Amino acid sequence: MQMDAVDQRIIALLVADARSSYAEIGARVSLSAPAVKRRVDRLRADGVIKGFTAVIEPAAVGWTTEAFVELFCTGRTTPAQITVATRRHPEVVGAYTVSGQADALVHLRAADIGHLEQALERLRAEPFVTSTRSMVVLSRLVETPTAVPL
């Protein structure tokens, strides 16, 4: 799919505020509201824009503890197996295959240390997990949505 500079600006504006109207975006990119809507519809149909969502502050809903957990797995564990397993755990907010010694990196959020420990125990109980190494987050320094330069 070919994206031009206007598409990139529309995406950046939606990332900054997905509630912006087509007219507001149009004013910023010199297009009419219907023209912006057509471009957004095309970007959605092409899978560039996957959806629109509310961004929640985890602490405001009681999830004040987070950790990154390196998973070490048995030799024939596939990314698909890791995906299926991590989706079973509501505390998992992200899971990634990585380079290095670990097979995957899992991002967990929990209400407190006790809840985090329970989530870790359930994750460690997955049949393919041989060991884990955890790092508890002390503070989030930078957290941005997927950004596209303006």
Side-chain angles (χ1 to χ4, degrees):
M1 194 220 122
Q2 295 270 338
M3 284 196 315
D4 62 16
V6 175
D7 288 334
Q8 291 176 355
R9 284 194 37 97
I10 289 170
I11 292 167
L13 291 165
L14 286 171
V15 167
D17 183 2
R19 292 179 51 141
S20 297
S21 70
Y22 295 137
E24 291 168 335
I25 295 169
R28 301 276 306 270
V29 299
S30 302
L31 289 176
S32 67
V36 171
K37 182 185 182 315
R38 282 191 299 275
R39 284 179 178 251
V40 170
D41 289 346
R42 179 178 45 81
L43 290 165
R44 289 183 74 193
D46 290 345
V48 174
I49 296 174
K50 294 170 34 176
F52 301 90
T53 189
V55 178
I56 305 298
E57 170 55 46
V61 293
W63 293 69
T64 59
T65 304
E66 61 188 310
F68 287 90
V69 180
E70 292 178 317
L71 291 185
F72 298 87
C73 305
T74 58
R76 297 198 182 266
T77 303
T78 66
Q81 288 173 291
I82 296 169
T83 300
V84 169
T86 55
R87 286 186 188 274
R88 287 194 292 264
H89 301 275
E91 298 85 1
V92 173
V93 296
Y96 318 91
T97 54
V98 294
S99 63
Q101 293 179 344
D103 296 293
L105 182 67
V106 178
H107 183 191
L108 297 173
R109 284 200 177 119
D112 53 35
I113 289 293
H115 181 196
L116 180 63
E117 184 176 18
Q118 292 170 358
L120 282 169
E121 289 303 318
R122 283 188 277 110
L123 195 57
R124 286 182 186 129
E126 293 292 343
F128 58 82
V129 174
T130 58
S131 67
T132 62
R133 183 169 39 218
S134 304
M135 293 150 285
V136 174
V137 174
L138 299 177
S139 61
R140 280 185 272 144
L141 302 176
V142 177
E143 186 170 67
T144 59
T146 303
V148 176
L150 287 173

